[in-house]
Amino acid sequence: MDYQRVVVRRHPQTGIKHNHDSKYWRQFRNPVFIKNQSPVTAIHFSPVKPHRYAVTSGARVQIYSPKTQRVSKTIARFQDNARSGHFRADGKLLVAGDDSGNIQIFDLSTRAILRNFHQHKQPVHVAKFSSDPTKILSCSDDSTVRLWSIPTSEDYLTFKEHTDYVRTGMVSSANPSLILTGSYDSTVRMFDAREGRCVMTMKGGGGGAAPLPVEQVLLFPSGTVAISSSGPILRVWDLLAGGRCIRALSNHQKTITSLAFDGGATRLLSAGLDQMVKVYDVAEYKVVHTMRYPAPILSVAISPDNTHIAAGMSDGTLSIRRRDPKALEAREAEDERETLRQGAYEFFATGMLGNIGEGSIKPKQKPKPEGVLGETKAVPQRKKKLKEYDRYLKAFKYGAALDSVLRKGVPPTVTFSLIQELVHRDGVRMALAGRDDVLLEPVVRLLLRHLTDPRFGDMACDMASLVIDMYASVLGQSPIIDVLFVRLQKKLGAELKFQNEVAKLKGALDMILATSALQQL
């Protein structure tokens, strides 16, 4: 009689089903942690490949390579703590402010200072290039917002409508004349450089007796919708409707400190002091994924090609998560860019509709050989190789079979299916006998992991009783085994307490349902 293989029992899937977004963001694996001496206050990716990123920490701005995650350049020519290192659109220049009020523009090839602006008298927390490459935006704790001209080295526009610190702002990518800022006076303001004044004011800190300061603002590439954060609240503003708040989200437990779009502006990332990064779908403004970090987060950014997520924390830690884009995804993106470069006619003529007017010729195929009518071809059947535990079971080596399924990487369904087979053969005691502390440790760890699992709980409890009965006389001789048995006892006590609470809840629900049924009669 042939050997009957172990039948691995299939259990219904448990746990949360991950949607498409969650699966996508889970591809950002293997975070690299880099320790800095000071908190990481700003991160910005270069818009051009290879998408280097500038990390502002303490009195320096460091440029990292996305391939090696190592520093390629360091800019440390600041009088005080640096703020808001930001690339220009061509990736050749970098601008940064500092706590002394200075703003400096650096040539990244030589690290030379090209321009120095020092009209601000208090710390400059925002220094960014405008969508017009000859202009710079700055926001300072002196409550002013300034636009600077790089060729003339002068500030040609100054906005003084804010009444408190201005620590966030940006220029619209669709219109370089529109500037969105947020201040500690709890307002979000839209300035128009053509008119030289504030054209829209929104209460970004909310109403009430104690409105919150506005920490971050973000403008969609279309320039029609803005996002602001104050405390743990995220607000969405419709600028075409005069700055009406169309959505208020409260998914963080503490203050939101940073906002960022992904490469296509279809997902929004928010980071906060609660050590969480939330990913939102901007179509419905629902959280589609959450990432946890080891410390409060001060800054977050994602590369334009959606392959790197960088987060800076208050303890000086820089975390970089990397995703390897699939070859098909990269090829599709390259084909799309090539199509746009070709133009409309070539797109419809070749890129989208294929070769119009050209037929296709099928290659000649050799005719398949036909057999004689009535004959049956005998196909030899290859025997499947036995699994390692099946080979041990076939040789009646029960202990070795159990050891083979206690290794890392073996699914618990396989492990407990083998244990069930040993129960049928009355070989569990034989498989557990004669073990020292090294061979007994994986058995106890297995029971500790799956004692409360409803799929394997009954079998794990029976096996735990057998292990205790066999090895109770030798307890106290191995510290590792003693610690594991103490943990097993605590886990069993917690599970019994939980089951007791569930039984009480079930009784209460039965009473409520029975009362409701009587009232309906």
Side-chain angles (χ1 to χ4, degrees):
M1 183 177 178
D2 291 338
Y3 169 76
Q4 298 295 323
R5 301 169 184 267
V6 174
V7 179
V8 178
R9 183 181 175 187
R10 293 187 178 183
H11 297 268
Q13 294 184 355
T14 58
I16 301 173
K17 291 184 178 180
H18 300 293
N19 55 22
H20 174 72
D21 279 288
S22 182
K23 291 179 180 179
Y24 174 82
W25 293 101
R26 283 178 180 273
Q27 295 176 12
F28 289 90
R29 302 188 183 96
N30 304 322
V32 177
F33 293 98
I34 301 171
K35 188 67 176 178
N36 293 277
Q37 298 296 326
S38 303
V40 180
T41 56
I43 303 173
H44 185 244
F45 280 89
S46 173
V48 298
K49 287 186 176 182
H51 301 304
R52 297 177 297 172
Y53 50 98
V55 177
T56 307
S57 175
R60 62 185 181 180
V61 178
Q62 294 177 313
I63 312 300
Y64 282 82
S65 168
K67 292 184 178 180
T68 62
Q69 317 303 337
R70 294 182 179 179
V71 178
S72 59
K73 284 184 174 62
T74 299
I75 300 173
R77 304 175 69 176
F78 297 95
Q79 299 178 8
D80 209 329
N81 288 333
R83 304 284 180 179
S84 185
H86 190 270
F87 288 100
R88 198 167 71 170
D90 57 6
K92 297 180 179 180
L93 303 182
L94 183 136
V95 64
D98 62 25
D99 284 353
S100 67
N102 285 343
I103 304 169
Q104 299 177 85
I105 300 178
F106 300 91
D107 183 353
L108 290 179
S109 60
T110 62
R111 288 181 289 185
I113 299 176
L114 302 182
R115 292 288 187 274
N116 195 342
F117 310 98
H118 47 79
Q119 275 79 355
H120 285 294
K121 303 304 179 184
Q122 293 191 31
V124 176
H125 282 262
V126 177
K128 296 180 179 179
F129 283 101
S130 169
S131 49
D132 178 356
T134 63
K135 303 292 189 300
I136 288 176
L137 169 71
S138 67
C139 304
S140 171
D141 281 358
D142 60 11
S143 73
T144 62
V145 178
R146 297 174 186 263
L147 269 181
W148 307 83
S149 172
I150 298 177
T152 62
S153 301
E154 296 179 354
D155 59 328
Y156 71 97
L157 272 180
T158 302
F159 303 99
K160 301 181 179 180
E161 281 82 354
H162 283 296
T163 59
D164 207 334
Y165 300 156
V166 186
R167 294 192 172 178
T168 178
M170 65 175 298
V171 179
S172 171
S173 58
N175 187 346
S177 299
L178 298 179
I179 304 165
L180 185 72
T181 61
S183 169
Y184 274 32
D185 61 8
S186 304
T187 62
V188 176
R189 294 179 181 270
M190 175 71 76
F191 298 96
D192 193 335
R194 295 165 296 190
E195 300 184 18
R197 64 182 182 88
C198 174
V199 295
M200 194 179 301
T201 303
M202 295 153 277
K203 294 182 179 180
L212 299 172
V214 178
E215 299 287 348
Q216 288 291 322
V217 295
L218 197 61
L219 198 60
F220 274 81
S222 62
T224 59
V225 178
I227 298 173
S228 70
S229 69
S230 52
I233 310 297
L234 202 66
R235 291 181 172 86
V236 184
W237 308 90
D238 186 353
L239 302 181
L240 295 181
R244 181 171 61 91
C245 181
I246 58 176
R247 194 70 63 91
L249 311 172
S250 179
N251 298 105
H252 284 271
Q253 302 299 319
K254 294 183 180 180
T255 300
I256 299 172
T257 55
S258 184
L259 300 173
F261 283 126
D262 69 342
T266 59
R267 298 293 182 267
L268 170 69
L269 279 70
S270 66
L273 298 180
D274 55 0
Q275 308 178 18
M276 309 288 280
V277 172
K278 306 280 185 178
V279 182
Y280 300 83
D281 182 355
V282 298
E284 300 178 352
Y285 293 102
K286 291 183 179 180
V287 177
V288 295
H289 188 65
T290 300
M291 291 174 275
R292 183 181 295 275
Y293 286 83
I297 306 170
L298 300 181
S299 55
V300 68
I302 183 169
S303 61
D305 57 358
N306 293 338
T307 57
H308 291 75
I309 296 178
M313 288 161 258
S314 60
D315 63 351
T317 302
L318 173 67
S319 170
I320 303 102
R321 300 190 182 197
R322 188 172 183 273
R323 178 182 72 91
D324 293 324
K326 297 179 180 178
L328 178 60
E329 181 180 338
R331 187 166 62 251
E332 288 178 352
E334 182 62 30
D335 290 345
E336 183 178 352
R337 287 192 294 269
E338 182 63 26
T339 299
L340 294 175
R341 285 195 294 266
Q342 288 177 356
Y345 173 76
E346 288 81 1
F347 172 68
F348 284 102
T350 60
M352 183 177 178
L353 300 178
N355 298 327
I356 300 177
E358 294 183 5
S360 59
I361 302 174
K362 293 183 179 180
K364 295 183 178 180
Q365 296 180 354
K366 295 182 179 179
K368 295 182 180 180
E370 298 181 359
V372 181
L373 187 63
E375 288 186 353
T376 303
K377 184 178 180 180
V379 180
Q381 294 183 354
R382 294 183 180 179
K383 290 185 177 181
K384 294 183 179 179
K385 291 182 64 176
L386 293 176
K387 301 285 187 181
E388 185 179 8
Y389 53 84
D390 277 318
R391 293 199 300 270
Y392 286 129
L393 280 180
K394 187 176 181 180
F396 300 100
K397 297 179 180 179
Y398 296 153
L402 182 60
D403 291 336
S404 67
V405 295
L406 292 176
R407 298 170 185 163
K408 289 184 178 180
V410 179
T413 52
V414 175
T415 304
F416 283 96
S417 296
L418 177 81
I419 295 174
Q420 185 66 44
E421 180 66 22
L422 292 175
V423 171
H424 292 160
R425 295 178 175 222
D426 197 17
V428 180
R429 183 177 291 272
M430 191 183 305
L432 294 173
R435 291 177 176 264
D436 56 9
D437 56 346
V438 177
L439 295 177
L440 187 60
E441 181 184 351
V443 177
V444 183
R445 289 191 182 276
L446 174 74
L447 300 176
L448 191 60
R449 278 197 305 269
H450 300 290
L451 185 67
T452 58
D453 193 327
R455 299 174 297 172
F456 319 116
D458 294 340
M459 199 179 305
C461 287
D462 295 339
M463 194 171 179
S465 300
L466 184 57
V467 171
I468 294 172
D469 183 42
M470 294 176 63
Y471 292 95
S473 60
V474 296
L475 287 179
Q477 298 181 12
S478 173
I480 297 177
I481 300 300
D482 294 343
V483 170
L484 290 176
F485 270 105
V486 171
R487 289 174 56 189
L488 189 65
Q489 182 185 13
K490 290 182 179 180
K491 189 165 187 178
L492 182 59
E495 181 66 16
L496 290 174
K497 184 178 179 181
F498 174 73
Q499 293 294 341
N500 190 22
E501 295 295 329
V502 171
K504 291 180 181 179
L505 179 61
K506 182 177 181 299
L509 289 176
D510 289 341
M511 187 183 300
I512 293 173
L513 294 174
T515 305
S516 176
L518 289 174
Q519 289 178 354
Q520 291 179 0
L521 294 176

Short mmCIF file of all heavy atoms in Angstrom, two decimals, residues 240-290:
data_model
loop_
_atom_site.label_atom_id
_atom_site.label_comp_id
_atom_site.label_asym_id
_atom_site.label_seq_id
_atom_site.Cartn_x
_atom_site.Cartn_y
_atom_site.Cartn_z
N LEU A 240 -12.33 78.28 -5.56
CA LEU A 240 -13.25 78.83 -6.56
C LEU A 240 -14.55 79.30 -5.92
O LEU A 240 -15.25 80.14 -6.48
CB LEU A 240 -13.54 77.77 -7.63
CG LEU A 240 -12.35 77.34 -8.50
CD1 LEU A 240 -12.79 76.30 -9.52
CD2 LEU A 240 -11.73 78.54 -9.19
N ALA A 241 -14.89 78.74 -4.75
CA ALA A 241 -16.10 79.15 -4.03
C ALA A 241 -15.81 80.22 -3.00
O ALA A 241 -16.57 80.39 -2.04
CB ALA A 241 -16.75 77.93 -3.37
N GLY A 242 -14.68 80.91 -3.14
CA GLY A 242 -14.37 81.99 -2.22
C GLY A 242 -13.70 81.54 -0.94
O GLY A 242 -13.75 82.27 0.06
N GLY A 243 -13.10 80.37 -0.93
CA GLY A 243 -12.42 79.90 0.26
C GLY A 243 -13.35 79.20 1.23
O GLY A 243 -13.17 79.32 2.45
N ARG A 244 -14.30 78.45 0.70
CA ARG A 244 -15.25 77.73 1.57
C ARG A 244 -14.63 76.40 2.00
O ARG A 244 -14.06 75.68 1.20
CB ARG A 244 -16.56 77.48 0.82
CG ARG A 244 -17.63 76.77 1.62
CD ARG A 244 -18.94 76.77 0.86
NE ARG A 244 -18.82 76.08 -0.42
CZ ARG A 244 -19.07 74.78 -0.60
NH1 ARG A 244 -19.44 74.04 0.43
NH2 ARG A 244 -18.96 74.24 -1.79
N CYS A 245 -14.76 76.09 3.29
CA CYS A 245 -14.26 74.82 3.81
C CYS A 245 -15.22 73.71 3.42
O CYS A 245 -16.39 73.71 3.83
CB CYS A 245 -14.11 74.89 5.33
SG CYS A 245 -13.45 73.38 6.06
N ILE A 246 -14.76 72.77 2.61
CA ILE A 246 -15.63 71.70 2.13
C ILE A 246 -15.42 70.39 2.88
O ILE A 246 -16.22 69.47 2.74
CB ILE A 246 -15.43 71.47 0.62
CG1 ILE A 246 -13.96 71.13 0.32
CG2 ILE A 246 -15.87 72.69 -0.16
CD1 ILE A 246 -13.70 70.80 -1.14
N ARG A 247 -14.35 70.30 3.67
CA ARG A 247 -14.11 69.06 4.40
C ARG A 247 -13.17 69.35 5.57
O ARG A 247 -12.21 70.13 5.43
CB ARG A 247 -13.47 68.01 3.48
CG ARG A 247 -13.48 66.59 4.01
CD ARG A 247 -14.88 66.02 4.01
NE ARG A 247 -15.44 65.91 2.69
CZ ARG A 247 -15.34 64.83 1.91
NH1 ARG A 247 -14.67 63.78 2.36
NH2 ARG A 247 -15.89 64.81 0.72
N ALA A 248 -13.46 68.74 6.72
CA ALA A 248 -12.58 68.82 7.88
C ALA A 248 -12.33 67.39 8.37
O ALA A 248 -13.28 66.64 8.64
CB ALA A 248 -13.20 69.66 8.99
N LEU A 249 -11.06 67.00 8.44
CA LEU A 249 -10.70 65.63 8.79
C LEU A 249 -9.91 65.62 10.09
O LEU A 249 -9.06 66.49 10.31
CB LEU A 249 -9.84 65.01 7.68
CG LEU A 249 -10.37 65.15 6.25
CD1 LEU A 249 -9.34 64.68 5.25
CD2 LEU A 249 -11.66 64.38 6.09
N SER A 250 -10.20 64.66 10.93
CA SER A 250 -9.50 64.53 12.21
C SER A 250 -9.07 63.07 12.38
O SER A 250 -9.71 62.30 13.08
CB SER A 250 -10.39 64.97 13.37
OG SER A 250 -9.73 64.82 14.60
N ASN A 251 -7.97 62.71 11.73
CA ASN A 251 -7.46 61.34 11.80
C ASN A 251 -6.19 61.20 12.62
O ASN A 251 -5.74 60.09 12.88
CB ASN A 251 -7.20 60.80 10.39
CG ASN A 251 -8.47 60.74 9.56
OD1 ASN A 251 -8.67 61.57 8.67
ND2 ASN A 251 -9.33 59.79 9.83
N HIS A 252 -5.60 62.33 13.01
CA HIS A 252 -4.41 62.31 13.86
C HIS A 252 -4.80 62.58 15.31
O HIS A 252 -5.81 63.25 15.59
CB HIS A 252 -3.40 63.35 13.39
CG HIS A 252 -2.65 62.96 12.15
ND1 HIS A 252 -1.48 62.24 12.18
CD2 HIS A 252 -2.93 63.17 10.83
CE1 HIS A 252 -1.04 62.05 10.94
NE2 HIS A 252 -1.91 62.61 10.10
N GLN A 253 -3.97 62.10 16.23
CA GLN A 253 -4.19 62.33 17.65
C GLN A 253 -3.46 63.57 18.15
O GLN A 253 -3.84 64.12 19.18
CB GLN A 253 -3.73 61.11 18.45
CG GLN A 253 -4.43 59.82 18.06
CD GLN A 253 -5.93 59.88 18.27
OE1 GLN A 253 -6.40 60.41 19.26
NE2 GLN A 253 -6.67 59.32 17.33
N LYS A 254 -2.42 63.97 17.42
CA LYS A 254 -1.66 65.15 17.81
C LYS A 254 -1.47 66.05 16.60
O LYS A 254 -1.97 65.77 15.51
CB LYS A 254 -0.31 64.74 18.42
CG LYS A 254 -0.43 63.98 19.74
CD LYS A 254 0.93 63.66 20.32
CE LYS A 254 0.80 62.91 21.64
NZ LYS A 254 2.13 62.58 22.22
N THR A 255 -0.71 67.13 16.79
CA THR A 255 -0.56 68.16 15.77
C THR A 255 0.03 67.60 14.48
O THR A 255 1.01 66.85 14.50
CB THR A 255 0.34 69.29 16.30
OG1 THR A 255 -0.27 69.85 17.46
CG2 THR A 255 0.51 70.38 15.26
N ILE A 256 -0.57 67.99 13.36
CA ILE A 256 -0.05 67.65 12.03
C ILE A 256 1.07 68.64 11.69
O ILE A 256 0.86 69.86 11.72
CB ILE A 256 -1.16 67.70 10.98
CG1 ILE A 256 -2.26 66.69 11.30
CG2 ILE A 256 -0.59 67.44 9.58
CD1 ILE A 256 -3.48 66.80 10.41
N THR A 257 2.24 68.12 11.37
CA THR A 257 3.41 68.97 11.16
C THR A 257 3.87 69.05 9.71
O THR A 257 4.68 69.92 9.38
CB THR A 257 4.58 68.45 12.01
OG1 THR A 257 4.81 67.07 11.69
CG2 THR A 257 4.27 68.58 13.49
N SER A 258 3.38 68.16 8.83
CA SER A 258 3.87 68.17 7.45
C SER A 258 2.82 67.58 6.52
O SER A 258 2.10 66.64 6.90
CB SER A 258 5.18 67.37 7.35
OG SER A 258 5.72 67.45 6.05
N LEU A 259 2.75 68.12 5.31
CA LEU A 259 1.84 67.65 4.27
C LEU A 259 2.63 67.48 2.97
O LEU A 259 3.56 68.25 2.70
CB LEU A 259 0.69 68.63 4.04
CG LEU A 259 -0.22 68.94 5.23
CD1 LEU A 259 -1.20 70.06 4.87
CD2 LEU A 259 -0.99 67.71 5.66
N ALA A 260 2.25 66.50 2.17
CA ALA A 260 2.92 66.27 0.89
C ALA A 260 2.01 65.50 -0.05
O ALA A 260 1.21 64.66 0.41
CB ALA A 260 4.23 65.51 1.09
N PHE A 261 2.13 65.78 -1.35
CA PHE A 261 1.43 65.02 -2.39
C PHE A 261 2.38 63.96 -2.94
O PHE A 261 3.61 64.11 -2.90
CB PHE A 261 1.00 65.92 -3.54
CG PHE A 261 -0.23 66.75 -3.25
CD1 PHE A 261 -0.21 68.12 -3.40
CD2 PHE A 261 -1.41 66.15 -2.81
CE1 PHE A 261 -1.33 68.89 -3.14
CE2 PHE A 261 -2.53 66.90 -2.55
CZ PHE A 261 -2.49 68.27 -2.71
N ASP A 262 1.78 62.89 -3.48
CA ASP A 262 2.60 61.94 -4.23
C ASP A 262 2.89 62.51 -5.61
O ASP A 262 2.51 63.64 -5.92
CB ASP A 262 1.89 60.57 -4.31
CG ASP A 262 0.65 60.61 -5.20
OD1 ASP A 262 0.15 61.71 -5.47
OD2 ASP A 262 0.19 59.54 -5.62
N GLY A 263 3.56 61.74 -6.45
CA GLY A 263 3.99 62.26 -7.74
C GLY A 263 2.86 62.73 -8.64
O GLY A 263 3.03 63.67 -9.41
N GLY A 264 1.70 62.08 -8.56
CA GLY A 264 0.58 62.46 -9.42
C GLY A 264 -0.47 63.30 -8.74
O GLY A 264 -1.52 63.57 -9.33
N ALA A 265 -0.23 63.69 -7.48
CA ALA A 265 -1.18 64.48 -6.68
C ALA A 265 -2.53 63.78 -6.54
O ALA A 265 -3.56 64.42 -6.44
CB ALA A 265 -1.37 65.88 -7.28
N THR A 266 -2.50 62.44 -6.53
CA THR A 266 -3.73 61.68 -6.31
C THR A 266 -3.83 61.17 -4.88
O THR A 266 -4.90 60.71 -4.46
CB THR A 266 -3.80 60.48 -7.27
OG1 THR A 266 -2.66 59.63 -7.04
CG2 THR A 266 -3.80 60.94 -8.71
N ARG A 267 -2.73 61.23 -4.15
CA ARG A 267 -2.71 60.82 -2.75
C ARG A 267 -2.04 61.90 -1.92
O ARG A 267 -1.07 62.53 -2.35
CB ARG A 267 -1.97 59.49 -2.56
CG ARG A 267 -2.60 58.32 -3.29
CD ARG A 267 -3.96 57.96 -2.73
NE ARG A 267 -4.55 56.81 -3.39
CZ ARG A 267 -5.38 56.89 -4.42
NH1 ARG A 267 -5.66 58.08 -4.93
NH2 ARG A 267 -5.90 55.80 -4.96
N LEU A 268 -2.57 62.12 -0.74
CA LEU A 268 -2.05 63.12 0.19
C LEU A 268 -1.45 62.43 1.40
O LEU A 268 -2.07 61.53 1.97
CB LEU A 268 -3.18 64.07 0.62
CG LEU A 268 -2.86 65.03 1.76
CD1 LEU A 268 -1.84 66.08 1.31
CD2 LEU A 268 -4.12 65.70 2.27
N LEU A 269 -0.24 62.85 1.78
CA LEU A 269 0.42 62.31 2.95
C LEU A 269 0.44 63.37 4.05
O LEU A 269 0.82 64.53 3.78
CB LEU A 269 1.86 61.88 2.65
CG LEU A 269 2.07 60.51 1.98
CD1 LEU A 269 1.56 60.52 0.55
CD2 LEU A 269 3.54 60.12 2.01
N SER A 270 0.03 63.00 5.24
CA SER A 270 0.09 63.91 6.39
C SER A 270 0.86 63.23 7.51
O SER A 270 0.66 62.04 7.79
CB SER A 270 -1.32 64.28 6.86
OG SER A 270 -1.99 63.15 7.39
N ALA A 271 1.76 63.98 8.12
CA ALA A 271 2.59 63.45 9.22
C ALA A 271 2.36 64.30 10.45
O ALA A 271 2.11 65.51 10.36
CB ALA A 271 4.06 63.47 8.83
N GLY A 272 2.45 63.67 11.63
CA GLY A 272 2.16 64.39 12.86
C GLY A 272 3.04 63.98 14.02
O GLY A 272 3.87 63.06 13.93
N LEU A 273 2.84 64.66 15.13
CA LEU A 273 3.58 64.36 16.35
C LEU A 273 3.12 63.06 17.00
O LEU A 273 3.72 62.63 17.99
CB LEU A 273 3.43 65.52 17.34
CG LEU A 273 3.98 66.87 16.88
CD1 LEU A 273 3.75 67.92 17.96
CD2 LEU A 273 5.46 66.77 16.53
N ASP A 274 2.05 62.45 16.48
CA ASP A 274 1.61 61.16 17.01
C ASP A 274 2.38 59.99 16.38
O ASP A 274 1.98 58.84 16.53
CB ASP A 274 0.11 60.97 16.77
CG ASP A 274 -0.28 61.12 15.30
OD1 ASP A 274 0.64 61.37 14.48
OD2 ASP A 274 -1.46 60.99 14.98
N GLN A 275 3.49 60.30 15.66
CA GLN A 275 4.38 59.31 15.06
C GLN A 275 3.73 58.54 13.92
O GLN A 275 4.16 57.44 13.58
CB GLN A 275 4.89 58.31 16.12
CG GLN A 275 5.49 58.97 17.34
CD GLN A 275 5.94 57.97 18.38
OE1 GLN A 275 6.11 56.78 18.10
NE2 GLN A 275 6.14 58.43 19.60
N MET A 276 2.71 59.13 13.30
CA MET A 276 1.98 58.46 12.23
C MET A 276 2.04 59.28 10.95
O MET A 276 2.06 60.51 10.97
CB MET A 276 0.51 58.26 12.62
CG MET A 276 0.31 57.60 13.97
SD MET A 276 0.71 55.86 13.97
CE MET A 276 -0.76 55.20 13.23
N VAL A 277 2.08 58.56 9.82
CA VAL A 277 1.90 59.15 8.49
C VAL A 277 0.64 58.55 7.89
O VAL A 277 0.54 57.32 7.75
CB VAL A 277 3.12 58.89 7.58
CG1 VAL A 277 2.81 59.34 6.15
CG2 VAL A 277 4.34 59.62 8.10
N LYS A 278 -0.32 59.40 7.57
CA LYS A 278 -1.59 58.95 6.99
C LYS A 278 -1.58 59.24 5.49
O LYS A 278 -1.13 60.31 5.06
CB LYS A 278 -2.77 59.68 7.64
CG LYS A 278 -2.83 59.59 9.16
CD LYS A 278 -3.40 58.27 9.61
CE LYS A 278 -3.57 58.25 11.13
NZ LYS A 278 -4.17 57.00 11.61
N VAL A 279 -2.10 58.30 4.71
CA VAL A 279 -2.22 58.46 3.27
C VAL A 279 -3.70 58.57 2.94
O VAL A 279 -4.49 57.70 3.30
CB VAL A 279 -1.59 57.27 2.52
CG1 VAL A 279 -1.68 57.49 1.01
CG2 VAL A 279 -0.14 57.07 2.93
N TYR A 280 -4.08 59.66 2.26
CA TYR A 280 -5.48 59.93 1.91
C TYR A 280 -5.68 59.80 0.41
O TYR A 280 -4.80 60.17 -0.38
CB TYR A 280 -5.90 61.35 2.32
CG TYR A 280 -5.78 61.66 3.79
CD1 TYR A 280 -4.56 62.06 4.34
CD2 TYR A 280 -6.88 61.59 4.63
CE1 TYR A 280 -4.45 62.36 5.68
CE2 TYR A 280 -6.78 61.90 5.98
CZ TYR A 280 -5.57 62.28 6.50
OH TYR A 280 -5.46 62.58 7.83
N ASP A 281 -6.84 59.30 0.04
CA ASP A 281 -7.29 59.36 -1.34
C ASP A 281 -7.97 60.71 -1.53
O ASP A 281 -8.98 61.00 -0.88
CB ASP A 281 -8.27 58.21 -1.63
CG ASP A 281 -8.75 58.19 -3.06
OD1 ASP A 281 -8.40 59.12 -3.82
OD2 ASP A 281 -9.49 57.27 -3.44
N VAL A 282 -7.43 61.56 -2.40
CA VAL A 282 -7.95 62.92 -2.52
C VAL A 282 -9.31 62.97 -3.22
O VAL A 282 -9.96 64.02 -3.23
CB VAL A 282 -6.95 63.82 -3.27
CG1 VAL A 282 -5.64 63.93 -2.50
CG2 VAL A 282 -6.69 63.31 -4.68
N ALA A 283 -9.74 61.86 -3.80
CA ALA A 283 -11.07 61.84 -4.41
C ALA A 283 -12.16 61.81 -3.35
O ALA A 283 -13.20 62.46 -3.49
CB ALA A 283 -11.20 60.65 -5.34
N GLU A 284 -11.93 61.06 -2.27
CA GLU A 284 -12.93 60.93 -1.21
C GLU A 284 -12.41 61.39 0.15
O GLU A 284 -13.17 61.43 1.12
CB GLU A 284 -13.39 59.47 -1.10
CG GLU A 284 -14.00 58.92 -2.38
CD GLU A 284 -14.39 57.47 -2.25
OE1 GLU A 284 -14.03 56.85 -1.22
OE2 GLU A 284 -15.03 56.94 -3.17
N TYR A 285 -11.12 61.71 0.23
CA TYR A 285 -10.48 62.13 1.48
C TYR A 285 -10.67 61.09 2.57
O TYR A 285 -11.05 61.39 3.70
CB TYR A 285 -11.00 63.50 1.92
CG TYR A 285 -10.59 64.60 0.97
CD1 TYR A 285 -11.48 65.12 0.05
CD2 TYR A 285 -9.28 65.08 0.97
CE1 TYR A 285 -11.09 66.11 -0.85
CE2 TYR A 285 -8.88 66.07 0.08
CZ TYR A 285 -9.79 66.58 -0.81
OH TYR A 285 -9.40 67.55 -1.70
N LYS A 286 -10.42 59.85 2.21
CA LYS A 286 -10.44 58.75 3.16
C LYS A 286 -9.03 58.22 3.35
O LYS A 286 -8.24 58.18 2.41
CB LYS A 286 -11.37 57.63 2.67
CG LYS A 286 -12.84 58.00 2.68
CD LYS A 286 -13.68 56.80 2.25
CE LYS A 286 -15.17 57.14 2.28
NZ LYS A 286 -16.01 55.98 1.86
N VAL A 287 -8.72 57.80 4.56
CA VAL A 287 -7.41 57.23 4.86
C VAL A 287 -7.33 55.84 4.24
O VAL A 287 -8.14 54.96 4.54
CB VAL A 287 -7.16 57.15 6.37
CG1 VAL A 287 -5.82 56.48 6.64
CG2 VAL A 287 -7.19 58.54 6.99
N VAL A 288 -6.37 55.64 3.36
CA VAL A 288 -6.21 54.34 2.69
C VAL A 288 -5.02 53.56 3.23
O VAL A 288 -4.91 52.36 2.99
CB VAL A 288 -6.06 54.52 1.17
CG1 VAL A 288 -7.33 55.11 0.56
CG2 VAL A 288 -4.86 55.40 0.83
N HIS A 289 -4.14 54.23 3.99
CA HIS A 289 -3.00 53.51 4.57
C HIS A 289 -2.40 54.36 5.68
O HIS A 289 -2.52 55.59 5.69
CB HIS A 289 -1.93 53.23 3.51
CG HIS A 289 -0.82 52.35 3.98
ND1 HIS A 289 -1.02 51.03 4.34
CD2 HIS A 289 0.50 52.58 4.17
CE1 HIS A 289 0.12 50.50 4.72
NE2 HIS A 289 1.06 51.42 4.63
N THR A 290 -1.77 53.68 6.64
CA THR A 290 -1.13 54.34 7.77
C THR A 290 0.25 53.74 7.98
O THR A 290 0.41 52.52 7.94
CB THR A 290 -1.96 54.19 9.06
OG1 THR A 290 -3.26 54.77 8.85
CG2 THR A 290 -1.29 54.88 10.22
#
